[in-house]
Amino acid sequence: MRYKRILTIQDISCVGQCSLTVALPIISACGIETAVLPSAVLSTHTAGFSGYTFRDLTEDMPQIRAHWQKESITFDAIYTGYLGSTRQIDYVSDIFNGTKNESCALVVDPAMADNGKLYPGFDDAFVTAMKGLCAKADYVLPNITEACLLTGMPYKTEYDRGYVDELLEALRSIGCKNIVLTGISYAAGKTGVVVYENDTYAYYEHELLPNSCHGTGDIYASAFVGAFVRGKSAYEAAKIAADYAVLCIKATAEAENHWYGARFEPVLGELIAMLKD
């Protein structure tokens, strides 16, 4: 396989297992060169910590893009996670246009909401901007809350296949080409992921664990991108990412007082083994 390079664009928390501190090691473990563009630097992530520092790097983004273009640097995939503003989304669109190679896969995780609510600091204007970015992507990875916000559909905690089909069709109507919809549960004690690619529906179901961890969405998206760029199909990559996220949550449950993230590092070997199957 040709040695490939992925660019991931998201914030970095110096302490806390999320965003770039998750994406860089996981994608690297998949055997792929990983370039990064930090959108902001925080001393810690914002969930459970107080008094954290924050430095916005929005103004650096166009200068970095210009330098890459001057050096003829391009990428085989570009994967975006948490972006902090509509201006950052606009700059990311410019990076898509200016640094992708001919076969580049554009993957957007519209990390902006969960449990029926937008994250603090986001508004309707941000959702509108994210719609535009998702329409540019080859694959989008929303959870059910994000899918509802992007499409205007009502958020439900109890639903059937018909509701999910409507949600997929609504995402397609706003320009989403291929969709990996996470956190879809049709049965008690189970959850899973829907992969809608080339007008074909597939569902992978796995166990729903009682404990949750900060940053598991970032773990999932990073493992998906790494596996996909390694040559796995979208469904295979979605399955690997789901199984790996479950292993990370289980590994975290074994640790005492590990509340700030998921222990993804001890089970990286399991991810590497999955990629060889």
Side-chain angles (χ1 to χ4, degrees):
M1 184 185 77
R2 182 174 65 82
Y3 189 54
K4 294 184 178 181
R5 177 194 288 149
I6 290 174
L7 168 65
T8 181
I9 309 171
Q10 48 193 303
D11 67 288
I12 183 166
S13 296
C14 299
V15 172
Q17 293 155 309
C18 66
S19 57
L20 277 183
T21 56
V22 165
L24 177 56
I26 288 177
I27 298 172
S28 297
C30 293
I32 300 163
E33 179 184 349
T34 312
V36 300
L37 200 171
S39 57
V41 178
L42 296 84
S43 55
T44 66
H45 62 63
T46 60
F49 293 103
S50 60
Y52 51 84
T53 67
F54 175 88
R55 182 172 295 275
D56 186 353
L57 299 180
T58 301
E59 297 304 322
D60 294 291
M61 296 173 76
Q63 299 172 54
I64 291 169
R65 175 192 55 77
H67 183 227
W68 286 341
Q69 288 184 266
K70 175 178 175 291
E71 297 293 334
S72 300
I73 294 170
T74 61
F75 303 99
D76 298 287
I78 303 175
Y79 148 49
T80 69
Y82 183 96
L83 300 172
S85 66
T86 57
R87 283 186 67 205
Q88 288 193 352
I89 291 174
D90 291 340
Y91 287 152
V92 166
S93 293
D94 292 339
I95 292 166
F96 280 2
N97 295 332
T99 63
K100 63 181 181 178
N101 65 25
E102 291 181 357
S103 60
C104 181
L106 303 177
V107 182
V108 172
D109 176 8
M112 61 181 180
D114 204 0
N115 298 316
K117 297 180 180 178
L118 277 171
Y119 294 150
F122 291 157
D123 56 17
D124 290 344
F126 185 88
V127 174
T128 298
M130 185 58 74
K131 281 185 190 179
L133 191 66
C134 287
K136 293 176 181 289
D138 298 299
Y139 290 84
V140 294
L141 279 64
N143 61 34
I144 196 166
T145 299
E146 290 156 350
C148 289
L149 288 166
L150 288 168
T151 61
M153 280 190 60
Y155 171 73
K156 295 182 179 181
T157 56
E158 296 182 5
Y159 45 82
D160 57 13
R161 167 71 187 272
Y163 173 77
V164 172
D165 285 345
E166 285 185 51
L167 200 52
L168 292 168
E169 185 57 37
L171 287 166
R172 290 276 288 163
S173 72
I174 65 168
C176 297
K177 300 174 184 66
N178 300 294
I179 302 152
V180 180
L181 188 57
T182 61
I184 300 301
S185 177
Y186 292 129
K190 298 289 185 178
T191 189
V193 55
V194 169
V195 179
Y196 190 75
E197 182 183 35
N198 299 325
D199 298 323
T200 301
Y201 172 102
Y203 180 62
Y204 178 65
E205 186 177 72
H206 59 85
E207 63 182 310
L208 176 62
L209 299 174
N211 58 309
S212 60
C213 303
H214 183 79
T216 51
D218 300 331
I219 289 170
Y220 180 89
S222 301
F224 172 85
V225 172
F228 183 72
V229 175
R230 268 291 295 265
K232 300 294 185 181
S233 70
Y235 180 79
E236 290 170 331
K239 180 181 182 297
I240 287 169
D243 290 343
Y244 178 60
V246 167
L247 289 174
C248 295
I249 295 170
K250 288 181 174 179
T252 307
E254 296 171 356
E256 184 177 351
N257 198 34
H258 194 94
W259 57 268
Y260 54 86
R263 296 203 313 158
F264 70 93
E265 302 94 341
V267 289
L268 270 174
E270 304 271 3
L271 173 61
I272 294 168
M274 293 178 201
L275 292 170
K276 294 178 179 178
D277 292 343

